């Protein structure tokens, strides 16, 4: 056993190890080791283009900056129901910002609970038990009617249609209008909260102050 023989044996072993490693990683001539595909790898991205309102504000392309549709557990019905619910709340909130200032507050004698025309200021005057009642009412509403994710004809359908607009089926034009106005109202309500909070007065008065 000479030093030349030892060196030759070492080179042969090194070559064999290199071949095994390269084959396992897929860079060598051998076939790569098959690995089972994970659930996330085989999940296809949800096709948002088949849903109502996907391209209204984006010029034909779905707007999904955080790639929610690529998640393996993505549930479109859940997100659409949440979008509609928050949009409806925001539309009511926008009305609530304008009505007290344009029409007047609720007459309750000398009490100042409902006398403020700035909604953010009015909320601070509501007693603690009044706020508790609001949250209890929201809880009961959610428990009885649900979120609208399932059970209705489409996501967000709570069965509330007092004037029968959808008795013959849901009008796609009206459904799209609700979706668009809800999106606008969510942005507008956040702007109303910021503006009235900084100005300390109603949305109409603080808006006209800019032009005075």
């Amino acid at each position: 056993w000479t030093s030349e023989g030892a060196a030759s044996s070492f080179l042969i072993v090194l070559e064999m190890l290199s071949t095994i490693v390269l084959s396992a990683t897929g860079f060598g001539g051998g076939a790569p080791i098959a690995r089972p595909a994970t659930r996330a790898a085989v999940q296809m991205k949800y096709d948002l283009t088949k849903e109502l309102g996907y391209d209204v504000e984006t010029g034909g392309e779905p707007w999904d900056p955080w790639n929610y549709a690529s998640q393996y557990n993505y549930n479109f019905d859940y997100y659409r129901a949440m979008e509609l619910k928050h949009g409806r709340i925001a539309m009511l909130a926008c009305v609530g910002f304008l009505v007290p200032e344009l029409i007047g507050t609720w007459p309750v004698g000398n009490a100042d609970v409902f006398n403020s025309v700035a909604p953010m200021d009015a909320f601070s005057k509501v007693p603690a038990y009044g706020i508790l009642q609001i949250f209890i009412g929201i809880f009961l509403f959610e428990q009885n009617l649900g979120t609208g994710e399932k059970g209705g004809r489409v996501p967000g359908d709570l069965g509330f249609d007092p004037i029968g607009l959808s008795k013959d089926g849901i009008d796609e034009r009206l459904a799209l209008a609700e979706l668009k106005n809800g999106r606008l109202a969510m942005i507008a309500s956040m702007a109303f909260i910021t503006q009235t909070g900084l100005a300390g007065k109603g949305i109409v008065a603080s808006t006209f102050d800019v032009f005075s």
Side-chain angles (χ1 to χ4, degrees), residues 129-145:
Y129 286 116
I131 295 177
L132 179 61
Q133 289 176 354
I134 293 173
F135 281 105
I136 291 176
I138 293 172
F139 173 77
L140 294 176
F141 182 86
E142 292 280 346
Q143 290 298 310
N144 288 305
L145 292 180

Side-chain angles (χ1 to χ4, degrees), residues 201 205-212:
K201 56 178 66 175
S206 58
T207 299
F208 278 100
D209 282 348
V210 177
F211 300 101
S212 61

